[in-house]
Amino acid sequence: MSELLVRAARGERTERPPVWLMRQAGRHLPEYRELREEYDFLEAVTTPEIAAEITLQPWDRYRPDGVVMFSDILTILEPLGFDYHIESGTGPVVESPIADPGDVPQAYAPIQESLDYVGELLDRLDTQVGEETGIIGFAGGPFTLASYAVAGRPTRNHYPLRQFKARHPEAFADLLSIVADAVREFLSYQVDHGADVVQLFDTYAGVLPPEDYRAFIQPLHREILTDIDAPTILFVRNMGGRLDQLAATGADVVSLDWTVEMDMAREQLGDRPVQGNLDPSVLFAGPETVRERTREVIEAAGDQGHILNLGHGVHQDTPIESVEAFVETAKSIEW
Amino acid sequence: MSELLVRAARGERTERPPVWLMRQAGRHLPEYRELREEYDFLEAVTTPEIAAEITLQPWDRYRPDGVVMFSDILTILEPLGFDYHIESGTGPVVESPIADPGDVPQAYAPIQESLDYVGELLDRLDTQVGEETGIIGFAGGPFTLASYAVAGRPTRNHYPLRQFKARHPEAFADLLSIVADAVREFLSYQVDHGADVVQLFDTYAGVLPPEDYRAFIQPLHREILTDIDAPTILFVRNMGGRLDQLAATGADVVSLDWTVEMDMAREQLGDRPVQGNLDPSVLFAGPETVRERTREVIEAAGDQGHILNLGHGVHQDTPIESVEAFVETAKSIEW
């Protein structure tokens, strides 16, 4: 249990902001790239010993206040009946994506069997990090997962799923609903295995018009998030003018992308805890600029209910010294 | 001169909203696909006779209130010294993108020579459409063009340019500045050749944090737009919570993407004219839904200063009958 991370997620005043980085375990670390020479991505994800080692690499290096389990937002697709693999230069590719309403799954395989490697990973982490470090679990959100299930691969503007929605609104709703059920169970399973905080990454749901987000996605986000026995964080990009829609899901923490101004977010969200939101490209500007811009984010957020993070995942070419400067800036604060 | 289009762009009350569609001349039309079997994309763009024929294809079919010249937002890269071609499956590819600050161009070739085919196209259109139809010119905006000049191709989240900005802020500003100069001259050249309205597509500038948009882009948008002797439209995606930043450029019309709610936009923008903003994926839902959702947009916008459009370009698989329903709905309104 991370005192600092969990307390900030609950909206408490903290002596300094807790800090972690989305995608902190990954390609920007030379020790990760070295390990990945031996194991491919999905092999690393599904082997608890390796996944634990990767999860702890940034902890060994930076000592952030949270370790985010090394995994993939798409793992939950497998119990839903979609096999996928990673294609170099493309990203995830689903073997048999949904073409017709008849392809929408009606059920999913038991999470504790199909995703047992996630439980084992969390069990391992629980024994390896101290009380003061939070273990962060996560899952993809229903829109984001459905986009891969329908398009079969990364797409610009998620057109295949949006077309599917326009042509087959009922099947679209059914698909989101079964995915949401699986995600809810998966996040609870993670908490049972020691996740102190969980983050729902429905990164792409902001591609929907506001009325569609409210009609189709928000009720599912609410269903998922209110069922979890741990603090929850919700990340959806491109929601700048409509952060209140995210708060209305009941998420304990609203994770802000880098295109939102922190003081505007505070205005829109009142005392709802927030996470974020330094532009990850600032990490290419050198440690001095990183420190300056990070302090600006921390000061705009204030001393209550703020988890310092980037507004998006760490880019793979990010210099180590910039990440160090980012974490150290949070740790140097004394409110 | 389009009475209706220009009047709405100037904020006047109109008896019905004028209507056109971004990318209305393009792949969704069978007559376009047929013509493109004979001419490749850049050949069609640079041959005024063919470009005029393509421009008028949607006018022949739908009779929208505006015809948007068939061209490419990247044409202006050539006088700036960047050759490019279109690669199937990738999109535009710039031959020698900017790698170092030293590669930033210091000048550009005369527009009226290097882009003479655009002037010739507009001259032709001027003789071919009647007084009641507006001729719409356009150019890419400085951030969007700079992204291609630096990345050399379409990228996720425009990371190469954002990295370049972080590493070389002065060269970044210099690049945007010279691009903006060329764009300003290009749009004026279009107005000289008969464009009744011009649209600046800085589609991707919303990927910048608000403070960076204000510092780097907004002054350039203002410089470009205030210099044009015709009504101007500004399109930047993902600006939902910060439409006031677009209005502050002095654009006559703020073009809304499909993730903005029209009544929220009206609240944020007061009586500034707006364009948009039906979700283009709605065009896959069948004519009845198209009519219903289009009427909702029109009613939310009201009878003053609204140009009906999509919130993004027409998708290439869009059914003809949906575009017909969209245009007819605008034409059926009687305020």
Side-chain angles (χ1 to χ4, degrees):
Chain A
M1 166 83 67
S2 156
E3 285 305 318
L4 210 55
L5 187 70
V6 170
R7 279 169 50 212
R10 287 187 176 140
E12 293 176 25
R13 189 185 175 285
T14 49
E15 48 282 19
R16 65 168 178 85
V19 57
W20 67 285
L21 298 88
M22 291 189 269
R23 215 185 294 144
Q24 66 189 12
R27 289 221 160 264
H28 87 282
L29 290 172
E31 55 271 31
Y32 172 87
R33 296 193 297 268
E34 198 181 321
L35 199 66
R36 279 289 314 284
E37 283 173 19
E38 287 177 71
Y39 305 91
D40 78 22
F41 178 73
L42 290 178
E43 201 178 353
V45 162
T46 55
T47 310
E49 190 188 342
I50 306 305
E53 186 176 342
I54 293 173
T55 301
L56 296 174
Q57 285 177 342
W59 188 64
D60 290 340
R61 200 181 256 279
Y62 307 120
R63 279 290 187 271
D65 299 296
V67 290
V68 55
M69 65 177 194
F70 178 73
S71 191
D72 184 24
I73 60 162
L74 300 188
T75 55
I76 191 79
L77 285 180
E78 304 239 26
L80 282 156
F82 302 98
D83 289 334
Y84 73 100
H85 63 278
I86 309 292
E87 260 178 36
S88 168
T90 302
V93 174
V94 174
E95 322 291 343
S96 303
I98 292 173
D100 295 304
D103 299 335
V104 171
Q106 304 298 307
Y108 53 93
I111 299 295
Q112 71 274 22
E113 291 166 26
S114 52
L115 297 171
D116 59 347
Y117 55 83
V118 174
E120 281 180 45
L121 164 60
L122 289 165
D123 293 343
R124 275 173 187 267
L125 294 174
D126 215 12
T127 66
Q128 291 183 56
V129 299
E131 289 283 308
E132 76 285 358
T133 304
I135 297 172
I136 302 159
F138 68 86
F143 183 87
T144 301
L145 293 165
S147 179
Y148 281 99
V150 167
R153 57 184 63 224
T155 53
R156 288 220 293 187
N157 300 315
H158 304 273
Y159 237 106
L161 182 57
R162 290 162 62 206
Q163 286 176 314
F164 188 83
K165 171 184 167 295
R167 288 183 174 134
H168 314 293
E170 286 179 22
F172 173 77
D174 289 347
L175 171 61
L176 291 171
S177 174
I178 187 85
V179 171
D181 286 348
V183 166
R184 191 179 58 222
E185 191 175 328
F186 185 34
L187 288 176
S188 283
Y189 167 80
Q190 293 176 26
V191 173
D192 291 345
H193 283 267
D196 299 309
V197 173
V198 291
Q199 177 155 337
L200 184 64
F201 284 90
D202 216 355
T203 314
Y204 302 122
V207 82
L208 289 175
E211 63 269 28
D212 289 348
Y213 177 79
R214 274 196 300 270
F216 291 99
I217 310 297
Q218 197 182 52
L220 299 175
H221 284 174
R222 170 173 281 280
E223 265 181 50
I224 294 168
L225 294 169
T226 53
D227 198 45
I228 307 294
D229 194 23
T232 57
I233 305 173
L234 176 59
F235 181 63
V236 184
R237 279 178 49 196
N238 296 325
M239 295 291 283
R242 41 189 175 136
L243 296 172
D244 54 323
Q245 296 194 358
L246 298 181
T249 63
D252 293 303
V253 181
V254 173
S255 193
L256 308 170
D257 78 20
W258 72 97
T259 69
V260 175
E261 237 155 353
M262 182 57 83
D263 44 5
M264 292 279 290
R266 285 300 204 186
E267 248 175 63
Q268 280 184 62
L269 290 171
D271 57 4
R272 176 79 46 141
V274 293
Q275 175 172 271
N277 74 339
L278 187 72
D279 179 349
S281 75
V282 169
L283 299 183
F284 291 88
E288 195 179 333
T289 303
V290 171
R291 278 189 282 270
E292 191 184 313
R293 298 288 294 270
T294 303
R295 270 195 298 268
E296 285 169 16
V297 171
I298 293 170
E299 278 161 21
D303 65 357
Q304 200 158 356
H306 177 224
I307 299 168
L308 180 66
N309 206 319
L310 303 178
H312 203 198
V314 182
H315 189 277
Q316 61 176 26
D317 299 329
T318 302
I320 297 285
E321 57 178 10
S322 290
V323 180
E324 286 169 351
F326 179 71
V327 173
E328 281 162 13
T329 303
K331 294 196 166 184
S332 72
I333 300 289
E334 295 178 45
W335 287 118
Chain B
M1 167 83 64
S2 157
E3 285 303 318
L4 210 55
L5 187 71
V6 170
R7 280 170 50 214
R10 288 188 174 139
E12 295 177 24
R13 191 184 173 284
T14 49
E15 47 283 18
R16 65 168 178 85
V19 57
W20 67 285
L21 298 87
M22 290 189 269
R23 215 185 295 142
Q24 65 189 12
R27 289 221 159 265
H28 87 281
L29 290 172
E31 54 270 30
Y32 172 87
R33 296 193 297 269
E34 198 181 320
L35 199 66
R36 280 288 314 284
E37 283 173 20
E38 286 176 72
Y39 304 91
D40 77 21
F41 177 73
L42 290 179
E43 201 179 353
V45 162
T46 55
T47 310
E49 189 188 343
I50 306 305
E53 186 177 343
I54 293 173
T55 301
L56 296 175
Q57 284 176 341
W59 189 65
D60 290 339
R61 199 182 258 279
Y62 307 121
R63 279 290 187 272
D65 298 297
V67 290
V68 55
M69 65 177 194
F70 178 73
S71 193
D72 184 23
I73 60 162
L74 300 187
T75 55
I76 190 81
L77 285 181
E78 303 239 26
L80 282 157
F82 302 98
D83 289 333
Y84 73 100
H85 63 279
I86 309 291
E87 259 177 37
S88 169
T90 300
V93 174
V94 174
E95 322 291 344
S96 304
I98 292 172
D100 295 306
D103 299 335
V104 171
Q106 303 298 309
Y108 54 92
I111 300 295
Q112 71 274 22
E113 289 165 28
S114 52
L115 297 170
D116 59 346
Y117 55 84
V118 174
E120 281 180 45
L121 164 60
L122 288 164
D123 292 343
R124 273 172 189 267
L125 295 175
D126 214 14
T127 65
Q128 291 183 58
V129 299
E131 288 284 307
E132 76 284 359
T133 303
I135 297 172
I136 302 159
F138 68 87
F143 183 86
T144 301
L145 293 165
S147 179
Y148 281 99
V150 167
R153 57 185 62 225
T155 52
R156 288 221 291 189
N157 300 314
H158 303 273
Y159 236 106
L161 182 58
R162 290 162 63 206
Q163 286 175 314
F164 188 83
K165 170 185 168 296
R167 288 183 175 135
H168 313 295
E170 286 179 23
F172 174 78
D174 289 346
L175 172 60
L176 290 171
S177 173
I178 187 86
V179 171
D181 286 347
V183 166
R184 190 180 59 222
E185 189 176 329
F186 185 35
L187 288 176
S188 283
Y189 168 80
Q190 292 177 26
V191 173
D192 291 344
H193 282 268
D196 299 308
V197 173
V198 291
Q199 178 155 338
L200 183 65
F201 284 90
D202 217 354
T203 313
Y204 302 122
V207 83
L208 289 176
E211 63 269 29
D212 290 348
Y213 177 79
R214 274 196 300 270
F216 291 98
I217 310 296
Q218 197 182 54
L220 299 175
H221 283 174
R222 169 173 282 279
E223 265 181 48
I224 294 168
L225 294 168
T226 53
D227 198 47
I228 307 294
D229 193 24
T232 57
I233 306 172
L234 175 60
F235 182 63
V236 184
R237 279 177 50 196
N238 297 325
M239 295 290 284
R242 41 188 174 136
L243 295 172
D244 54 322
Q245 296 194 359
L246 298 181
T249 62
D252 293 302
V253 181
V254 173
S255 194
L256 308 169
D257 78 18
W258 72 98
T259 69
V260 175
E261 239 156 353
M262 182 56 83
D263 44 6
M264 292 277 290
R266 285 300 205 186
E267 247 174 63
Q268 280 184 62
L269 290 172
D271 57 5
R272 176 80 45 144
V274 293
Q275 175 172 270
N277 74 339
L278 187 73
D279 179 349
S281 74
V282 169
L283 299 183
F284 291 89
E288 196 179 331
T289 302
V290 172
R291 278 190 282 269
E292 191 184 313
R293 297 288 294 270
T294 303
R295 269 195 299 268
E296 285 169 16
V297 170
I298 293 171
E299 277 160 21
D303 64 358
Q304 201 158 356
H306 176 224
I307 299 168
L308 180 66
N309 205 319
L310 302 178
H312 203 198
V314 182
H315 189 278
Q316 61 177 25
D317 299 329
T318 302
I320 297 284
E321 57 177 10
S322 290
V323 180
E324 286 170 351
F326 179 72
V327 173
E328 281 162 13
T329 302
K331 294 196 166 183
S332 72
I333 299 289
E334 294 179 47
W335 288 120

